[in-house]
Amino acid sequence: MSTQILKNYEYHVWANKRVFTRLKELPEEILLQELSDVFPTIHAGLVHIYRVDTVWLSGMKGNSYDQIRELLVNVEEKTKGKSLKQLEAAFSELAEAYKTFLNSDVDWQAMKDFPHPTYGVLHASIEELIQHVVNHGTYHRGNITSMLRQLGHAGVSSDYVFYLYDVNK
């Protein structure tokens, strides 16, 4: 797998940790404060990132659409009503599962089919899907930062360039 894709995934983990660090500085009830935004609450935004990351890891491992739907029941149980600390632990556990997968002997360039009953068949490589996971997380971390600002709190900068500054210290 390309070094850049691995670095991109490491950035994704770093950026998620920065968001959790910022959220731990604020009163926990802010997680459930309702807003008119992309997500009704910051908690829902975090759960969405976690859910999508889980779905794509499962798909990359070769699980079927039906298996992934079953997995989402577990994701719902694992995230519903959970505290910030519990969500952070779930994210950390998932990041470890990704690292194990990324360090396996999977052919990252091989094109695979990922069928979906609504969208059709996605023909993509693992490398492309990792890039999607990173981009998706970046987009929604931005939503969470916007939500924090709406609630009167500073967000957290999780831009890729700040990751580069951090890892190149």
Side-chain angles (χ1 to χ4, degrees), residues 51 54-56 58-59 63-77 115-118:
R51 179 182 175 104
T54 300
V55 163
W56 283 114
S58 184
N63 291 322
S64 71
Y65 179 80
D66 289 334
Q67 290 171 311
I68 292 169
R69 283 183 54 118
E70 289 175 23
L71 173 66
L72 288 176
V73 172
N74 294 333
V75 168
E76 176 70 20
E77 291 170 7
H116 188 279
T118 303

mmCIF file of all heavy atoms in Angstrom, residues 51 54-56 58-59 63-77 115-118:
data_model
loop_
_atom_site.group_PDB
_atom_site.id
_atom_site.type_symbol
_atom_site.label_atom_id
_atom_site.label_comp_id
_atom_site.label_asym_id
_atom_site.label_seq_id
_atom_site.Cartn_x
_atom_site.Cartn_y
_atom_site.Cartn_z
ATOM 1 N N ARG A 51 -19.815 5.035 12.396
ATOM 2 C CA ARG A 51 -20.648 4.083 11.646
ATOM 3 C C ARG A 51 -20.094 3.869 10.230
ATOM 4 O O ARG A 51 -19.932 2.737 9.779
ATOM 5 C CB ARG A 51 -22.075 4.617 11.589
ATOM 6 C CG ARG A 51 -23.055 3.785 10.846
ATOM 7 C CD ARG A 51 -24.424 4.502 10.850
ATOM 8 N NE ARG A 51 -25.381 3.806 10.062
ATOM 9 C CZ ARG A 51 -26.361 3.062 10.533
ATOM 10 N NH1 ARG A 51 -26.526 2.929 11.827
ATOM 11 N NH2 ARG A 51 -27.189 2.451 9.726
ATOM 12 N N THR A 54 -16.827 2.023 10.212
ATOM 13 C CA THR A 54 -17.079 0.601 10.485
ATOM 14 C C THR A 54 -17.589 -0.111 9.237
ATOM 15 O O THR A 54 -17.133 -1.221 8.907
ATOM 16 C CB THR A 54 -18.099 0.459 11.638
ATOM 17 O OG1 THR A 54 -17.569 1.079 12.803
ATOM 18 C CG2 THR A 54 -18.391 -1.005 11.932
ATOM 19 N N VAL A 55 -18.520 0.506 8.541
ATOM 20 C CA VAL A 55 -19.085 -0.083 7.325
ATOM 21 C C VAL A 55 -17.989 -0.352 6.300
ATOM 22 O O VAL A 55 -17.894 -1.444 5.732
ATOM 23 C CB VAL A 55 -20.172 0.838 6.729
ATOM 24 C CG1 VAL A 55 -20.481 0.485 5.287
ATOM 25 C CG2 VAL A 55 -21.434 0.768 7.577
ATOM 26 N N TRP A 56 -17.137 0.652 6.052
ATOM 27 C CA TRP A 56 -16.128 0.473 5.009
ATOM 28 C C TRP A 56 -15.057 -0.532 5.397
ATOM 29 O O TRP A 56 -14.591 -1.295 4.549
ATOM 30 C CB TRP A 56 -15.536 1.823 4.589
ATOM 31 C CG TRP A 56 -16.495 2.537 3.693
ATOM 32 C CD1 TRP A 56 -17.153 3.695 3.953
ATOM 33 C CD2 TRP A 56 -16.954 2.096 2.405
ATOM 34 N NE1 TRP A 56 -17.989 4.010 2.906
ATOM 35 C CE2 TRP A 56 -17.887 3.045 1.941
ATOM 36 C CE3 TRP A 56 -16.669 0.998 1.609
ATOM 37 C CZ2 TRP A 56 -18.523 2.932 0.706
ATOM 38 C CZ3 TRP A 56 -17.302 0.882 0.382
ATOM 39 C CH2 TRP A 56 -18.215 1.841 -0.053
ATOM 40 N N SER A 58 -15.548 -3.162 7.212
ATOM 41 C CA SER A 58 -16.213 -4.445 7.027
ATOM 42 C C SER A 58 -16.280 -4.827 5.544
ATOM 43 O O SER A 58 -15.999 -5.967 5.165
ATOM 44 C CB SER A 58 -17.620 -4.394 7.632
ATOM 45 O OG SER A 58 -18.251 -5.638 7.538
ATOM 46 N N GLY A 59 -16.639 -3.853 4.708
ATOM 47 C CA GLY A 59 -16.692 -4.110 3.271
ATOM 48 C C GLY A 59 -15.322 -4.446 2.696
ATOM 49 O O GLY A 59 -15.183 -5.368 1.887
ATOM 50 N N ASN A 63 -16.882 -8.532 3.658
ATOM 51 C CA ASN A 63 -18.223 -8.852 4.139
ATOM 52 C C ASN A 63 -19.275 -8.363 3.158
ATOM 53 O O ASN A 63 -19.102 -7.357 2.484
ATOM 54 C CB ASN A 63 -18.460 -8.244 5.522
ATOM 55 C CG ASN A 63 -17.619 -8.915 6.580
ATOM 56 O OD1 ASN A 63 -17.423 -10.123 6.552
ATOM 57 N ND2 ASN A 63 -17.102 -8.145 7.498
ATOM 58 N N SER A 64 -20.368 -9.087 3.094
ATOM 59 C CA SER A 64 -21.459 -8.757 2.176
ATOM 60 C C SER A 64 -22.301 -7.608 2.740
ATOM 61 O O SER A 64 -22.219 -7.275 3.920
ATOM 62 C CB SER A 64 -22.358 -9.982 1.979
ATOM 63 O OG SER A 64 -23.094 -10.233 3.173
ATOM 64 N N TYR A 65 -23.127 -7.061 1.883
ATOM 65 C CA TYR A 65 -24.049 -6.002 2.296
ATOM 66 C C TYR A 65 -24.923 -6.479 3.460
ATOM 67 O O TYR A 65 -25.118 -5.750 4.435
ATOM 68 C CB TYR A 65 -24.910 -5.555 1.107
ATOM 69 C CG TYR A 65 -25.902 -4.486 1.460
ATOM 70 C CD1 TYR A 65 -25.509 -3.158 1.551
ATOM 71 C CD2 TYR A 65 -27.230 -4.809 1.725
ATOM 72 C CE1 TYR A 65 -26.415 -2.163 1.897
ATOM 73 C CE2 TYR A 65 -28.141 -3.817 2.069
ATOM 74 C CZ TYR A 65 -27.726 -2.505 2.152
ATOM 75 O OH TYR A 65 -28.622 -1.528 2.496
ATOM 76 N N ASP A 66 -25.437 -7.696 3.381
ATOM 77 C CA ASP A 66 -26.288 -8.228 4.455
ATOM 78 C C ASP A 66 -25.508 -8.379 5.762
ATOM 79 O O ASP A 66 -26.034 -8.090 6.845
ATOM 80 C CB ASP A 66 -26.910 -9.563 4.047
ATOM 81 C CG ASP A 66 -27.983 -9.388 2.984
ATOM 82 O OD1 ASP A 66 -28.596 -8.293 2.914
ATOM 83 O OD2 ASP A 66 -28.210 -10.335 2.209
ATOM 84 N N GLN A 67 -24.260 -8.810 5.672
ATOM 85 C CA GLN A 67 -23.431 -8.928 6.879
ATOM 86 C C GLN A 67 -23.178 -7.554 7.494
ATOM 87 O O GLN A 67 -23.178 -7.402 8.718
ATOM 88 C CB GLN A 67 -22.101 -9.606 6.550
ATOM 89 C CG GLN A 67 -22.233 -11.082 6.227
ATOM 90 C CD GLN A 67 -20.934 -11.664 5.689
ATOM 91 O OE1 GLN A 67 -20.319 -11.106 4.789
ATOM 92 N NE2 GLN A 67 -20.531 -12.797 6.253
ATOM 93 N N ILE A 68 -22.968 -6.570 6.641
ATOM 94 C CA ILE A 68 -22.723 -5.218 7.131
ATOM 95 C C ILE A 68 -23.983 -4.660 7.797
ATOM 96 O O ILE A 68 -23.905 -4.020 8.847
ATOM 97 C CB ILE A 68 -22.228 -4.307 5.993
ATOM 98 C CG1 ILE A 68 -20.829 -4.758 5.553
ATOM 99 C CG2 ILE A 68 -22.226 -2.843 6.414
ATOM 100 C CD1 ILE A 68 -20.336 -4.126 4.271
ATOM 101 N N ARG A 69 -25.139 -4.930 7.233
ATOM 102 C CA ARG A 69 -26.397 -4.479 7.857
ATOM 103 C C ARG A 69 -26.543 -5.079 9.255
ATOM 104 O O ARG A 69 -26.975 -4.394 10.183
ATOM 105 C CB ARG A 69 -27.592 -4.864 6.992
ATOM 106 C CG ARG A 69 -27.757 -3.947 5.785
ATOM 107 C CD ARG A 69 -28.986 -4.334 5.017
ATOM 108 N NE ARG A 69 -30.133 -4.336 5.921
ATOM 109 C CZ ARG A 69 -31.190 -3.545 5.798
ATOM 110 N NH1 ARG A 69 -31.252 -2.709 4.802
ATOM 111 N NH2 ARG A 69 -32.181 -3.614 6.643
ATOM 112 N N GLU A 70 -26.181 -6.335 9.407
ATOM 113 C CA GLU A 70 -26.230 -6.980 10.732
ATOM 114 C C GLU A 70 -25.237 -6.317 11.684
ATOM 115 O O GLU A 70 -25.531 -6.110 12.856
ATOM 116 C CB GLU A 70 -25.936 -8.472 10.610
ATOM 117 C CG GLU A 70 -27.036 -9.267 9.945
ATOM 118 C CD GLU A 70 -26.667 -10.725 9.728
ATOM 119 O OE1 GLU A 70 -25.777 -11.238 10.445
ATOM 120 O OE2 GLU A 70 -27.262 -11.349 8.828
ATOM 121 N N LEU A 71 -24.064 -6.000 11.160
ATOM 122 C CA LEU A 71 -23.034 -5.339 11.956
ATOM 123 C C LEU A 71 -23.531 -3.989 12.473
ATOM 124 O O LEU A 71 -23.216 -3.586 13.598
ATOM 125 C CB LEU A 71 -21.763 -5.149 11.111
ATOM 126 C CG LEU A 71 -20.638 -4.338 11.709
ATOM 127 C CD1 LEU A 71 -20.049 -5.064 12.923
ATOM 128 C CD2 LEU A 71 -19.566 -4.084 10.666
ATOM 129 N N LEU A 72 -24.316 -3.299 11.672
ATOM 130 C CA LEU A 72 -24.802 -1.977 12.073
ATOM 131 C C LEU A 72 -25.716 -2.036 13.293
ATOM 132 O O LEU A 72 -25.818 -1.057 14.037
ATOM 133 C CB LEU A 72 -25.485 -1.273 10.901
ATOM 134 C CG LEU A 72 -24.516 -0.798 9.819
ATOM 135 C CD1 LEU A 72 -25.272 -0.193 8.649
ATOM 136 C CD2 LEU A 72 -23.501 0.183 10.378
ATOM 137 N N VAL A 73 -26.348 -3.175 13.528
ATOM 138 C CA VAL A 73 -27.135 -3.342 14.753
ATOM 139 C C VAL A 73 -26.196 -3.262 15.952
ATOM 140 O O VAL A 73 -26.488 -2.588 16.946
ATOM 141 C CB VAL A 73 -27.912 -4.678 14.744
ATOM 142 C CG1 VAL A 73 -28.563 -4.946 16.091
ATOM 143 C CG2 VAL A 73 -28.943 -4.679 13.627
ATOM 144 N N ASN A 74 -25.032 -3.894 15.843
ATOM 145 C CA ASN A 74 -24.040 -3.842 16.919
ATOM 146 C C ASN A 74 -23.493 -2.424 17.091
ATOM 147 O O ASN A 74 -23.231 -1.986 18.212
ATOM 148 C CB ASN A 74 -22.875 -4.802 16.646
ATOM 149 C CG ASN A 74 -23.316 -6.245 16.674
ATOM 150 O OD1 ASN A 74 -24.286 -6.596 17.334
ATOM 151 N ND2 ASN A 74 -22.612 -7.090 15.955
ATOM 152 N N VAL A 75 -23.300 -1.728 15.975
ATOM 153 C CA VAL A 75 -22.810 -0.347 16.036
ATOM 154 C C VAL A 75 -23.822 0.515 16.788
ATOM 155 O O VAL A 75 -23.443 1.334 17.628
ATOM 156 C CB VAL A 75 -22.541 0.209 14.618
ATOM 157 C CG1 VAL A 75 -22.307 1.714 14.652
ATOM 158 C CG2 VAL A 75 -21.360 -0.504 13.980
ATOM 159 N N GLU A 76 -25.089 0.324 16.503
ATOM 160 C CA GLU A 76 -26.140 1.086 17.194
ATOM 161 C C GLU A 76 -26.065 0.840 18.700
ATOM 162 O O GLU A 76 -26.106 1.785 19.496
ATOM 163 C CB GLU A 76 -27.516 0.690 16.649
ATOM 164 C CG GLU A 76 -28.679 1.331 17.346
ATOM 165 C CD GLU A 76 -28.820 2.827 17.094
ATOM 166 O OE1 GLU A 76 -28.266 3.325 16.110
ATOM 167 O OE2 GLU A 76 -29.485 3.484 17.914
ATOM 168 N N GLU A 77 -25.917 -0.418 19.086
ATOM 169 C CA GLU A 77 -25.835 -0.766 20.511
ATOM 170 C C GLU A 77 -24.569 -0.191 21.140
ATOM 171 O O GLU A 77 -24.576 0.228 22.297
ATOM 172 C CB GLU A 77 -25.869 -2.281 20.688
ATOM 173 C CG GLU A 77 -27.203 -2.910 20.339
ATOM 174 C CD GLU A 77 -27.154 -4.430 20.299
ATOM 175 O OE1 GLU A 77 -26.120 -5.027 20.670
ATOM 176 O OE2 GLU A 77 -28.157 -5.029 19.872
ATOM 177 N N PRO A 115 -21.203 -4.292 -3.930
ATOM 178 C CA PRO A 115 -22.596 -4.097 -4.343
ATOM 179 C C PRO A 115 -23.441 -3.435 -3.257
ATOM 180 O O PRO A 115 -23.274 -3.700 -2.072
ATOM 181 C CB PRO A 115 -23.080 -5.517 -4.631
ATOM 182 C CG PRO A 115 -22.140 -6.421 -3.914
ATOM 183 C CD PRO A 115 -20.862 -5.683 -3.696
ATOM 184 N N HIS A 116 -24.342 -2.574 -3.704
ATOM 185 C CA HIS A 116 -25.272 -1.894 -2.811
ATOM 186 C C HIS A 116 -26.640 -1.893 -3.501
ATOM 187 O O HIS A 116 -26.730 -1.567 -4.683
ATOM 188 C CB HIS A 116 -24.797 -0.456 -2.562
ATOM 189 C CG HIS A 116 -25.572 0.246 -1.515
ATOM 190 N ND1 HIS A 116 -26.794 0.834 -1.762
ATOM 191 C CD2 HIS A 116 -25.307 0.471 -0.205
ATOM 192 C CE1 HIS A 116 -27.249 1.385 -0.653
ATOM 193 N NE2 HIS A 116 -26.366 1.181 0.305
ATOM 194 N N PRO A 117 -27.703 -2.238 -2.786
ATOM 195 C CA PRO A 117 -29.018 -2.348 -3.431
ATOM 196 C C PRO A 117 -29.576 -1.032 -3.989
ATOM 197 O O PRO A 117 -30.369 -1.059 -4.923
ATOM 198 C CB PRO A 117 -29.921 -2.892 -2.321
ATOM 199 C CG PRO A 117 -29.211 -2.628 -1.056
ATOM 200 C CD PRO A 117 -27.753 -2.572 -1.366
ATOM 201 N N THR A 118 -29.155 0.082 -3.464
ATOM 202 C CA THR A 118 -29.650 1.370 -3.957
ATOM 203 C C THR A 118 -28.713 1.999 -4.976
ATOM 204 O O THR A 118 -29.155 2.509 -6.003
ATOM 205 C CB THR A 118 -29.851 2.358 -2.781
ATOM 206 O OG1 THR A 118 -30.741 1.768 -1.839
ATOM 207 C CG2 THR A 118 -30.404 3.690 -3.262
#
